[in-house]
Amino acid sequence: MLKRKFDKTKLPSRHVTEGPERAPHRSYLYAMGISEDEIHQPLIGVATCWNEAAPCNISLNRQAQAVKLGVKAASGTPREFTTITVTDGIAMGHEGMRSSLASREAIADTVELTMRGHCYDAIVGLAGCDKSLPGMMMAMIRLNVPSVFIYGGSILPGRLEGKDVTVQDVFEAVGQHQAGNMTTCELEKLEQVACPSAGACGGQFTANTMACVSEAIGLALFNSSGAPAPYESRDQYAEASGVAVMNLIEKDIRARDIVTLKSLENAARIVACTGGSTNAGLHLPAMAHEAGIDFYLEDVCEIFRDTPYFVDLKPGGQFVAKDLYEAGGVPAVMKELSKAGLLHEDCMTASGYSVGEELEKVDRAADGRVIHPVETPLSTTGGVVGLKGNLAPEGAIVKIAGMSEEQLSFTGPARVFECEQDAFEAVQKREYEEGDVFVIRNEGPAGGPGMREMLATTAALSGQGMGKKVALITDGRFSGATRGFCVGHVGPEAAHCGPIALLKNGDMITLNAIEGTINVDLSWEELEERKDAWKGPRETIYASGALWKYSQLVDKTYKGAVTHPGGKAEKHEYMDL
């Protein structure tokens, strides 16, 4: 590749590399073995969420080296740095889960601070687990620098008795074990084979959902998210991403040239048609917030409502991310959306070409197995739908992928729990009845604090064979692996005296995913009387530290549970300082 010259007089790194007054700064760079030529090239942040906490992140440092080769080949100087990750599979079902959503903000904040502090000109960001994907993309949009995102890749499916298995099967096996339908030996055998490699959870859970979003929104190169983490071909995508970011600098294409209202709508389409995670209803508004765009839960759900669901992935369907990749990946899915006129094809992508121009290069069609033709979808509406009513005036969200039409409405008496642990213990002891509507409150972003996921509880219910016989609502979240009529993000949350805070055991609740409603059989007068008698939010044990800080700053769920004023409040552009 030919050596390129870049004008550094308009790039942030000039503040640390150019002119006699920057001699002390350059001496630090020489100390790390950087040559004079490299010092005067653009400095590219290569940010990874590498850690040894879980398989989702373990291969990111290797992939970062390939990114750096691409940056160097295209006349840039890569500077690798890491940020935190909290992995939901490890944090699930205990107090550690409170750290999960807050980690998204910490990732965005720490990447921003590192980029600003060292005056890097652009970023290639690598992430592997649920919150690290939106966190990394939020930092890119916030900084508005030339940006390329790359997913670390999915885990390979495990195999047991001739069938593919995932970590979802292990969570559900806990319930089967408690119900006496699985021996301890069988459980141990499953846990040892379910996760056989590096990579993020293989179903269309939150990590793979947001990986699909990264391509559809344009921040990742087409097809870069599909290959499983152990595939050496990931290194080629990583290297290409390093080259791509240098092309974006040359053309002055920044993150907000890519992330627009139209591209956010494209991203919501990909979540809907793949039966993606309800957490996208939290992350897409948060990403929009960084760009100063109003794109809230209701806007996301509006797109879900009129998007067909035609990609058959776990947990609602049969297949995993590896199968989708082999069937043509996200580009083949987007090709189907394009056929139905459901994409904005004029949106810019990280390649420097538009969505439409990229789709012209795609020759894969729906295979009819993993990716069904858009004309004959699995369902005419998206795999995730929004609900509103007197129980959730600010909205709520439910994943319906894989549910039959008769399962899309549910009426039953409330069984109220003040936190997730109480509900999980009730499931373990079978202290509930068929037809109950579990209400788990005080798990919202502020009231939790941290908006925990409820996979331990929902998976235990499924494992007991009761996943379709009860419903569950919460002001907290659900894992992308959750199945059944499980409604999350109920807003306002209990800590803000939303209606969920006022429910009592026995109140009749009606959920209807066809009509998009969530109501309790109480008059407004009765709700107001209960509100007047409300004694205030439940006190938590988090009175200091990061989670206390998060609870004080976090905004409403339907806005993305963000913690700062966002793009609308900006008074400067980082690149122009």
Side-chain angles (χ1 to χ4, degrees), residues 313-458:
L313 296 171
K314 289 176 179 284
Q318 304 177 63
F319 301 104
V320 295
K322 173 178 174 285
D323 301 313
L324 175 59
Y325 176 63
E326 290 168 353
V330 173
V333 176
M334 292 180 72
K335 194 86 168 177
E336 290 300 308
L337 287 169
S338 174
K339 280 165 54 179
L342 295 174
L343 279 183
H344 300 292
E345 296 190 23
D346 56 341
C347 293
M348 179 57 64
T349 75
S351 68
Y353 295 98
S354 71
V355 167
E357 289 169 325
E358 286 292 348
L359 288 177
E360 284 176 9
K361 305 171 191 175
V362 178
D363 58 6
R364 298 291 293 271
D367 67 332
R369 179 172 165 264
V370 181
I371 306 170
H372 291 246
V374 70
E375 303 87 356
T376 55
L378 297 162
S379 166
T380 54
T381 191
V384 178
V385 300
L387 308 177
K388 254 191 172 181
N390 71 347
L391 189 42
E394 291 177 356
I397 195 166
V398 59
K399 186 170 186 172
I400 63 168
M403 292 169 67
S404 62
E405 192 162 335
E406 60 269 17
Q407 294 168 344
L408 297 182
S409 60
F410 197 104
T411 298
R415 185 164 180 76
V416 180
F417 300 94
E418 300 300 332
C419 64
E420 184 202 9
Q421 188 60 32
D422 290 353
F424 183 60
E425 288 174 7
V427 173
Q428 285 183 306
K429 297 173 183 175
R430 301 296 290 258
E431 293 176 347
Y432 64 93
E433 301 292 332
E434 183 176 325
D436 280 352
V437 179
F438 280 60
V439 176
I440 305 178
R441 61 191 180 198
N442 303 306
E443 293 289 5
M451 204 179 185
R452 288 196 290 187
E453 289 183 353
M454 309 291 158
L455 180 59
T457 301
T458 59

Side-chain angles (χ1 to χ4, degrees), residues 21-326:
E21 69 277 15
R22 301 308 180 203
H25 305 67
R26 289 192 295 272
S27 70
Y28 273 48
L29 300 177
Y30 282 121
M32 294 182 283
I34 302 176
S35 70
E36 184 176 359
D37 282 349
E38 289 171 325
I39 287 172
H40 296 293
Q41 293 178 158
L43 302 185
I44 312 303
V46 178
T48 84
C49 298
W50 177 85
N51 64 24
E52 293 184 332
C56 352
N57 315 306
I58 202 72
S59 69
L60 294 177
N61 59 347
R62 189 203 85 218
Q63 294 183 45
Q65 309 319 306
V67 171
K68 288 155 71 175
L69 290 175
V71 170
K72 287 180 178 180
S75 306
T77 302
R79 307 313 301 150
E80 185 180 355
F81 65 94
T82 59
T83 183
I84 69 158
T85 320
V86 172
T87 295
D88 288 8
I90 298 287
M92 194 72 68
H94 54 85
E95 283 293 302
M97 178 47 76
R98 301 199 188 282
S99 300
S100 172
L101 186 58
S103 77
R104 184 191 71 180
E105 313 309 301
I107 290 164
D109 291 351
T110 51
V111 171
E112 177 199 358
L113 292 171
T114 302
M115 292 286 292
R116 284 182 179 275
H118 302 106
C119 296
Y120 294 152
D121 301 315
I123 183 172
V124 181
L126 298 92
C129 194
D130 297 8
K131 307 308 169 296
S132 60
L133 280 84
M136 187 66 73
M137 289 187 275
M138 286 163 66
M140 293 171 171
I141 302 164
R142 185 185 302 178
L143 289 160
N144 197 24
V145 294
S147 304
V148 181
F149 178 84
I150 186 160
Y151 179 44
S154 67
I155 199 167
L156 294 172
R159 295 285 289 177
L160 184 65
E161 296 172 358
K163 293 180 181 178
D164 283 355
V165 291
T166 71
V167 72
Q168 174 196 355
D169 297 292
V170 188
F171 273 103
E172 294 184 2
V174 173
Q176 293 172 7
H177 180 260
Q178 289 165 351
N181 299 326
M182 177 179 275
T183 67
T184 301
C185 181
E186 288 170 330
L187 179 62
E188 289 173 349
K189 190 184 294 185
L190 174 62
E191 74 182 57
Q192 289 168 8
V193 301
C195 299
S197 74
C201 299
Q204 194 66 341
F205 313 149
T206 306
N208 280 315
T209 297
M210 296 310 296
C212 291
V213 161
S214 72
E215 287 189 41
I217 209 167
L219 286 172
L221 298 179
F222 265 35
N223 213 34
S224 65
S225 70
Y231 284 21
E232 296 299 325
S233 60
R234 291 219 58 79
D235 290 357
Q236 294 172 279
Y237 288 112
E239 191 169 346
S241 297
V243 173
V245 82
M246 299 306 299
N247 294 335
L248 295 179
I249 293 178
E250 193 168 56
K251 296 176 181 178
D252 193 28
I253 296 172
R254 305 182 186 184
R256 292 186 202 171
D257 298 320
I258 292 170
V259 178
T260 62
L261 180 58
K262 285 183 175 180
S263 73
L264 285 157
E265 290 173 350
N266 286 347
R269 295 278 186 211
I270 207 80
V271 177
C273 74
T274 59
S277 169
T278 54
N279 285 306
L282 201 64
H283 301 323
L284 289 175
M287 291 165 66
H289 178 75
E290 300 291 355
I293 298 169
D294 291 340
F295 188 65
Y296 299 143
L297 176 64
E298 190 170 1
D299 302 305
V300 176
C301 291
E302 191 65 37
I303 292 167
F304 289 171
R305 190 175 295 119
D306 66 358
T307 306
Y309 159 52
F310 57 86
V311 186
D312 190 14
L313 296 171
K314 289 176 179 284
Q318 304 177 63
F319 301 104
V320 295
K322 173 178 174 285
D323 301 313
L324 175 59
Y325 176 63
E326 290 168 353

Side-chain angles (χ1 to χ4, degrees), residues 482-558:
T482 291
R483 298 191 289 169
F485 211 133
C486 297
V487 180
H489 306 195
V490 170
E493 61 172 291
H496 295 157
C497 197
I500 194 171
L502 311 176
L503 295 178
K504 297 178 181 177
N505 285 328
D507 288 341
M508 292 303 293
I509 294 171
T510 299
L511 311 169
N512 192 314
I514 299 169
E515 297 175 2
T517 56
I518 173 170
N519 290 300
V520 58
D521 189 16
L522 295 171
S523 67
W524 283 111
E525 291 76 16
E526 173 68 15
L527 285 168
E528 284 300 315
E529 283 178 23
R530 292 189 186 185
K531 191 171 184 177
D532 290 342
W534 188 60
K535 293 183 171 63
R538 187 186 66 146
E539 191 173 293
T540 80
I541 60 172
Y542 296 94
S544 65
L547 285 169
W548 173 84
K549 190 189 301 182
Y550 178 81
S551 72
Q552 302 305 302
L553 292 172
V554 70
D555 205 345
K556 294 181 176 182
T557 301
Y558 78 91

